[in-house]
Amino acid sequence: MRLYAADAIGSTREATMLPLAPAYEAAFREIDADLAQFLAVAEIDGEVVGTLQLTLIPNLTFVGGKRALVEAVRVAARHRGRRLGETMLLWAIARARDAGCVLVQLTTDARRDDARRFYERLGFVPSHVGMKLVL
Amino acid sequence: MRLYAADAIGSTREATMLPLAPAYEAAFREIDADLAQFLAVAEIDGEVVGTLQLTLIPNLTFVGGKRALVEAVRVAARHRGRRLGETMLLWAIARARDAGCVLVQLTTDARRDDARRFYERLGFVPSHVGMKLVL
């Protein structure tokens, strides 16, 4: 949770005081129980320094091709430049390919220029507009 | 499937010759069996004239808030202007709210100007860049 809150955008929407809000644990249990969900973490010396969530989504378009959605990619600021993000993304892409997905998709906040360039280096094409409706 | 193939972008990637590719039916069965997936269609006189797929995704960010992903929104060209798309989207938003989602998200091809304006009228904010990696 500290990772999700550790930048200017995330800090406005997470609750990291201990004990953690029970909603985090409930969400974790739901992700853990869902066979279409994969949560990856990068650890260094037992500390979680990176996260990524992968969701496999059956889809009728692209001739019934399955899609993979990548969410919640974060790397701790002091561990950047060590290719942890790249390692996690390459894992997610390989996992999606193994599952028979036809594409991997994600959205990145339009303000995160570095993130967009990072994904472009990995082959992602910024062909779409990502739209959000907060409920 | 005719709806998915019926525009300039979709026509390059669907296979609508009858009998349909078995992959479509396999994908349909997988969506149907997945409790996180909802497939909506708009029917007029027994004919499917609109489609929408809704996926509920548990998530750790936003204090463990669940997200709803909208995909595969199509309305038959000759039934446009009758608010079928709006009706389907409002259904999806209500369904997401009932499921306790904190946001609804979607991506729309950057070339589909009309689609972006349609989603903006419904309250969606184009805050993100949607990136795709074809496998």
Side-chain angles (χ1 to χ4, degrees):
Chain A
M1 294 315 121
R2 284 199 311 276
L3 282 182
Y4 293 138
D7 69 6
I9 296 169
S11 64
T12 61
R13 61 187 196 203
E14 302 300 339
T16 56
M17 276 181 302
L18 292 173
L20 279 178
Y24 285 119
E25 200 179 324
F28 179 80
R29 278 198 303 266
E30 200 169 344
I31 293 168
D32 198 39
D34 187 336
L35 296 176
Q37 306 288 341
F38 300 87
L39 208 53
V41 295
E43 278 191 359
I44 291 181
D45 297 333
E47 183 194 358
V48 172
V49 296
T51 71
L52 181 152
Q53 181 175 350
L54 183 70
T55 303
L56 303 180
I57 303 174
N59 212 283
L60 288 173
T61 54
F62 286 92
V63 197
K66 193 175 293 209
R67 288 160 185 242
L69 175 70
V70 170
E71 292 274 357
V73 178
R74 299 289 187 279
V75 173
R78 67 200 165 83
H79 291 291
R80 283 182 199 151
R82 298 173 67 172
R83 299 188 175 270
L84 292 175
E86 184 178 320
T87 303
M88 290 194 300
L89 259 295
L90 292 175
W91 170 85
I93 293 165
R95 187 71 197 76
R97 193 174 274 127
D98 287 349
C101 292
V102 295
L103 63 83
V104 182
Q105 64 187 40
L106 57 85
T107 67
T108 181
D109 194 295
R111 294 168 291 180
R112 300 196 205 258
D113 286 335
D114 290 355
R116 191 173 66 243
R117 282 194 292 268
F118 163 71
Y119 293 122
E120 282 176 336
R121 282 198 300 274
L122 290 170
F124 285 84
V125 178
S127 54
H128 283 60
V129 180
M131 306 188 76
K132 313 267 173 176
L133 172 70
V134 175
L135 295 179
Chain B
M1 293 315 121
R2 284 199 311 276
L3 282 181
Y4 294 138
D7 69 5
I9 297 168
S11 65
T12 60
R13 62 188 195 202
E14 302 299 340
T16 56
M17 276 181 301
L18 292 174
L20 279 178
Y24 285 118
E25 201 180 322
F28 179 81
R29 277 198 304 267
E30 200 169 344
I31 294 168
D32 198 40
D34 186 336
L35 296 176
Q37 305 288 341
F38 301 87
L39 208 52
V41 295
E43 278 192 1
I44 291 181
D45 297 333
E47 185 194 355
V48 172
V49 296
T51 71
L52 182 153
Q53 182 175 350
L54 183 71
T55 303
L56 303 180
I57 303 174
N59 213 284
L60 288 173
T61 55
F62 286 91
V63 196
K66 194 176 292 209
R67 289 161 185 241
L69 175 70
V70 170
E71 291 275 358
V73 179
R74 299 289 187 280
V75 173
R78 67 199 166 83
H79 292 291
R80 283 184 198 149
R82 298 174 67 171
R83 298 186 176 271
L84 292 175
E86 184 179 320
T87 303
M88 290 195 300
L89 259 296
L90 291 176
W91 169 84
I93 293 166
R95 186 72 199 75
R97 194 174 273 128
D98 287 349
C101 292
V102 295
L103 63 83
V104 182
Q105 64 187 39
L106 57 85
T107 67
T108 181
D109 194 295
R111 294 168 291 179
R112 301 196 205 259
D113 286 335
D114 290 355
R116 191 174 66 244
R117 282 193 294 267
F118 163 72
Y119 293 123
E120 282 177 335
R121 282 198 301 274
L122 291 171
F124 286 84
V125 178
S127 54
H128 284 61
V129 180
M131 306 189 75
K132 314 265 174 178
L133 173 69
V134 175
L135 296 178

